[in-house]
Amino acid sequence: MKSNLTYILFGLTLSVFINCEAKPVEDTFGFSPEDQNVIVAGVLTNSILRSNPDGTVLDPAFGLTWQKCSVGQVFRATQNDCQGATAGSVLNPLDPNRYGARELAFCNSKTHACNQVTPLPQVLIPVSQIVISGVSEAYQVCADLGSTWRVPTLAELKRLTEVGRTALLSNFPQTPEGDYWSSWSNEQDLPGETAYAISFDRQSFGVEKKIPKTERNYVRCVRSN
């Protein structure tokens, strides 16, 4: 009887050790599956972008050509950077990170005066569709580059953030930390007071924002190929 009890106890002990054996864990280096997907998407996007010697960046997958420099900056072909303008700004002349980048208003009126009302999306347009007239600095500064240049859509602007800020700077050097206007008014805002922007700040990189149209933010122009 004691012998049988010994065998039973041994069997129970062995089963505990087997069940408690450490299972192999897939090493994801601290990234969640969602994080890994974003990283892969970013690498693919960055590998597709092509920097041109004329100060533009080509995105053949989406049929787009971007200005390498933010509005107000000056491209230097020899250095392939955007440091051609005087560093700093009017409000902060000692700021070494802007290199002339300008902050512009989506519209001079917190209404639909600078964007179409219908159909959606409510994109920037040169002439008001409502009784209130409006002027868009963001629209005009891209149009001044040529008739094909424009403020990017929310989706186009969001695409640039897929690579992460460090990788972005390899194609778009001297990108200041701050919000960049898209060409879309916030369709959920019936009075039309706000528009969509994307954060390029390292603390909130890629975050979609809805900002009053009269506030000033950075602009990067784009054109369809």
Side-chain angles (χ1 to χ4, degrees):
M1 185 67 179
K2 291 180 62 178
S3 177
N4 290 339
L5 182 60
T6 300
Y7 283 124
I8 292 172
L9 291 174
F10 177 76
L12 289 173
T13 303
L14 183 61
S15 67
V16 169
F17 276 107
I18 292 175
N19 290 332
C20 292
E21 182 182 0
K23 300 295 190 298
V25 177
E26 182 180 356
D27 191 354
T28 60
F29 304 98
F31 296 113
S32 69
E34 293 78 11
D35 291 333
Q36 294 179 74
N37 291 337
V38 170
I39 292 170
V40 170
V43 171
L44 292 175
T45 301
N46 199 46
S47 65
I48 292 171
L49 297 177
R50 297 287 181 266
S51 183
N52 297 323
D54 63 352
T56 61
V57 177
L58 180 66
D59 182 354
F62 273 57
L64 300 172
T65 298
W66 292 89
Q67 286 286 325
K68 178 183 288 288
C69 301
S70 303
V71 168
Q73 294 178 333
V74 177
F75 175 65
R76 298 193 301 179
T78 303
Q79 294 85 354
N80 191 32
D81 65 21
C82 298
Q83 297 185 29
T86 304
S89 64
V90 174
L91 296 179
N92 188 5
L94 299 179
D95 181 358
N97 300 313
R98 294 191 181 188
Y99 292 98
R102 295 166 54 197
E103 293 176 293
L104 308 167
F106 184 94
C107 189
N108 65 343
S109 170
K110 289 195 289 186
T111 66
H112 290 295
C114 296
N115 57 268
Q116 69 181 22
V117 180
T118 57
L120 298 178
Q122 297 173 325
V123 299
L124 280 168
I125 54 176
V127 180
S128 177
Q129 290 183 340
I130 63 176
V131 295
I132 301 173
S133 61
V135 176
S136 171
E137 294 176 335
Y139 179 94
Q140 191 58 52
V141 76
C142 289
D144 287 345
L145 296 174
S147 60
T148 58
W149 290 98
R150 56 181 173 78
V151 180
T153 68
L154 181 65
E156 291 166 345
L157 197 58
K158 182 73 173 177
R159 173 170 166 77
L160 292 185
T161 66
E162 292 176 352
V163 302
R165 180 170 169 81
T166 300
L168 172 92
L169 293 174
S170 66
N171 282 304
F172 301 96
Q174 287 75 55
T175 295
E177 294 194 47
D179 299 326
Y180 276 71
W181 282 124
S182 80
S183 62
W184 289 6
S185 177
N186 175 15
E187 77 285 352
Q188 298 175 340
D189 179 0
L190 295 182
E193 295 183 354
T194 59
Y196 289 107
I198 296 292
S199 172
F200 281 73
D201 185 278
R202 71 185 68 196
Q203 301 299 326
S204 55
F205 192 74
V207 172
E208 178 184 306
K209 296 185 176 182
K210 299 167 185 175
I211 300 176
K213 293 175 178 178
T214 53
E215 289 191 12
R216 295 179 176 275
N217 294 302
Y218 297 111
V219 176
R220 188 183 305 282
C221 301
V222 70
R223 70 184 178 196
S224 300
N225 298 335

